[in-house]
Amino acid sequence: MENYQEQYKQELHQQEINSNLRTLKGFFWIFVTILIIWLLTLARIFIVDAGIFTIAVGLSAVMGIPVLYIYKKVDLAKPWVKYVFLTLICVISAIIAAFLSFHAVFIYVLPLLLAVQYREKVTLWIAYVVNDVTMAFSMMAGFYHGICDLNLLLGSNHTRAWYVEQWNAETLQFGFEPDPVFTILFYAVLPRAVILLIFTVILRYISLSGQEDAQRIADLTYRKETDLGTQVYNKNKYEEMIENYYPEVRRLAVIFWDVNNLKYVNDKFGHAAGDGLIQTLSSALHELSADRRKVYRVGGDEFVMIIENPVESEI
């Protein structure tokens, strides 16, 4: 049991590292995508102010400095690492959205997509809160310095067709929004925060459902392939491997065991004693098993060990 507990802790430790490595890869591909869009903007493929976009790319590159330092110098299993990574991704999302405004609104979903992979559910909610905060600052900056949303500037809610119609008729009249901060917070930040909340709930539900499904599949697979009385592989697994796996192995060694005089032991001492003999044999065989050596219970007291590519004197 202690060995299983240690393996469990090691697995959790490794999963934390793997999750942070996936977040690092996500960080890398986000930045690569931004660079590609920036280059296409410089080539005038996209109609976006190149100067504004260059500032956004430069600030995003600065955010990559602490990420690179953590990757090189810090143990990625430390619990605070993921929060730093996700916060920096939230900041990058906010920077890009600030300068591109409504053109890049869906970039706010990226931190949530990376946060949902972590085991602790609080990670996703922290990412959501940080996302909302950075989004508020982003939209404020975007209103004054980015590619601004026309309706926020004019304090109206008309469609493009209405503006075109009024413009052609030379009857377009408007006044500037007297309180842009309230307008941004109430009519832009709040709706997007609600949308992100829905994304967060859905992602969390999908994550939990996926984990539960995976756990059920793992449990059913274990029960399907394992003889629960002896903890070695059962006949179902034996037949599956014989049909689908072992024909592809170059060399095999097969050893058969059974318990002598099992009926006599059952009759004289009871079935509990016979079960004890089977358990003793299965335990001894299980100790000899390894990745290349698998043990199967193919009958009441019959066991088979199959060795893949046996080495000299191993049998």
Side-chain angles (χ1 to χ4, degrees), residues 107-292:
I107 198 171
Y108 293 120
V109 180
L110 293 177
L112 302 180
L113 293 177
L114 292 171
V116 75
Q117 66 177 310
Y118 292 96
R119 290 178 57 86
E120 301 91 342
K121 63 181 180 180
V122 69
T123 305
L124 180 61
W125 291 110
I126 290 176
Y128 168 72
V129 172
V130 174
N131 223 3
D132 283 349
V133 173
T134 55
M135 179 176 62
F137 284 101
S138 171
M139 295 192 68
M140 290 296 179
F143 178 80
Y144 292 103
H145 304 289
I147 302 172
C148 195
D149 189 327
L150 181 61
N151 282 323
L152 291 179
L153 176 65
L154 302 180
S156 61
N157 59 356
H158 297 293
T159 63
R160 177 183 178 277
W162 184 88
Y163 285 112
V164 173
E165 181 183 346
Q166 298 297 315
W167 180 271
N168 291 334
E170 298 183 352
T171 59
L172 184 62
Q173 297 180 357
F174 58 85
F176 284 100
E177 171 60 47
D179 189 1
V181 173
F182 173 81
T183 301
I184 292 171
L185 290 176
F186 192 79
Y187 293 107
V189 174
L190 180 59
R192 294 177 186 182
V194 172
I195 293 172
L196 287 177
L197 175 62
I198 296 172
F199 268 111
T200 303
V201 173
I202 292 174
L203 287 172
R204 187 58 195 168
Y205 171 76
I206 292 173
S207 175
L208 288 175
S209 298
Q211 291 175 9
E212 292 171 357
D213 290 345
Q215 183 62 44
R216 285 195 296 270
I217 290 298
D219 183 62
L220 290 173
T221 300
Y222 177 80
R223 293 176 179 274
K224 180 176 73 73
E225 297 180 347
T226 306
D227 180 74
L228 300 180
T230 60
Q231 308 305 310
V232 298
Y233 289 119
N234 60 20
K235 189 175 182 180
N236 289 333
K237 180 68 172 177
Y238 171 76
E239 293 176 346
E240 177 185 327
M241 297 289 281
I242 288 294
E243 181 177 354
N244 300 321
Y245 178 75
Y246 287 127
E248 305 298 326
V249 181
R250 188 169 63 88
R251 295 171 55 246
L252 292 172
V254 183
I255 307 175
F256 295 87
W257 282 275
D258 65 9
V259 178
N260 291 338
N261 302 315
L262 179 62
K263 185 177 184 306
Y264 171 79
V265 173
N266 285 334
D267 292 342
K268 185 173 181 59
F269 302 103
H271 286 277
D275 291 341
L277 282 178
I278 294 174
Q279 286 282 0
T280 301
L281 175 57
S282 67
S283 297
L285 297 180
H286 189 268
E287 289 294 324
L288 296 173
S289 64
D291 289 340
R292 294 185 303 104

Side-chain angles (χ1 to χ4, degrees), residues 288-301:
L288 296 173
S289 64
D291 289 340
R292 294 185 303 104
R293 298 195 295 265
K294 295 181 175 60
V295 179
Y296 307 88
R297 185 183 183 185
V298 296
D301 66 334

